[in-house]
Amino acid sequence: MSANEDQEMELEALRSIYEGDESFRELSPVSFQYRIGENGDPKAFLIEISWTDTYPQTPPIISMNAFFNNTISSAVKQSIVAKLQEAVEVNLGTAMTYTLFEYAKDHREQFMEHHRPAASPQTSISNIISVETPNAAPSSKKKDKREQLSKAQKRKLADKTDHKGERPRGWNWVDVVKQLSKTGSKDDE
């Protein structure tokens, strides 16, 4: 089989395997992302695999440059990519995207053993707030903020309304004559 036929078959298989999986994302027919770990997990990371024109006879491009991985040190990222490259060498010549994603899932703890997540300021602030206000009233009692309008938007709104801020009578009426002419012509036929 040619490289394109192999890619088409693997693409179809990936779509059927990962259908409904929120961790999997098809960026293009030759580029895929998979989130290893749950959202909010400090040891979660995102792998991006892109196929070359001659894939699977040549290795795919493995990247961890996604914004999702910005808290992971470059040394840990390079270590993960290096270990995935070793798996690529073993599977060269076969469809391997699914294998690489599963390999990463199976070895996630090993990959992230040197990762030290920094405490994010947002998390610590939200914890402080929740500790200080355990019996806070629900936020539904807060007044809803009105949408801020620009001067041009306010002028357009003022042009459409009368001095009381109400729209003129009949602003949403259907053109009766046009409607009757449409319905009347159907009755005549």
Side-chain angles (χ1 to χ4, degrees), residues 7-71:
Q7 288 180 10
E8 287 174 20
M9 288 180 60
E10 185 172 4
L11 176 61
E12 189 175 317
L14 287 171
R15 286 177 176 163
S16 65
I17 291 169
Y18 292 117
E19 182 179 356
D21 188 344
E22 293 178 7
S23 297
F24 178 77
R25 190 164 151 209
E26 180 181 337
L27 302 176
S28 74
V30 295
S31 185
F32 312 93
Q33 283 183 341
Y34 196 85
R35 183 184 71 238
I36 310 297
E38 295 299 316
N39 254 347
D41 181 358
K43 290 193 173 190
F45 58 93
L46 192 78
I47 298 174
E48 184 174 328
I49 296 179
S50 301
W51 298 342
T52 59
D53 291 338
T54 54
Y55 170 85
Q57 281 68 38
T58 57
I61 299 165
I62 301 173
S63 171
M64 291 194 61
N65 294 332
F67 182 75
F68 187 87
N69 297 331
N70 67 347
T71 60

Side-chain angles (χ1 to χ4, degrees), residues 134-154:
N135 296 328
S139 62
S140 62
K141 291 185 179 182
K142 291 183 180 179
K143 291 184 180 179
D144 293 332
K145 279 194 168 184
R146 297 187 76 187
E147 185 178 324
Q148 296 292 326
L149 301 176
S150 67
K151 277 187 175 182
Q153 290 171 325
K154 289 177 184 177

Side-chain angles (χ1 to χ4, degrees), residues 154-168:
K154 289 177 184 177
R155 282 189 198 116
K156 283 183 183 178
L157 188 60
D159 291 343
K160 292 179 184 176
T161 59
D162 61 9
H163 67 283
K164 295 180 185 174
E166 296 176 1
R167 294 189 174 191

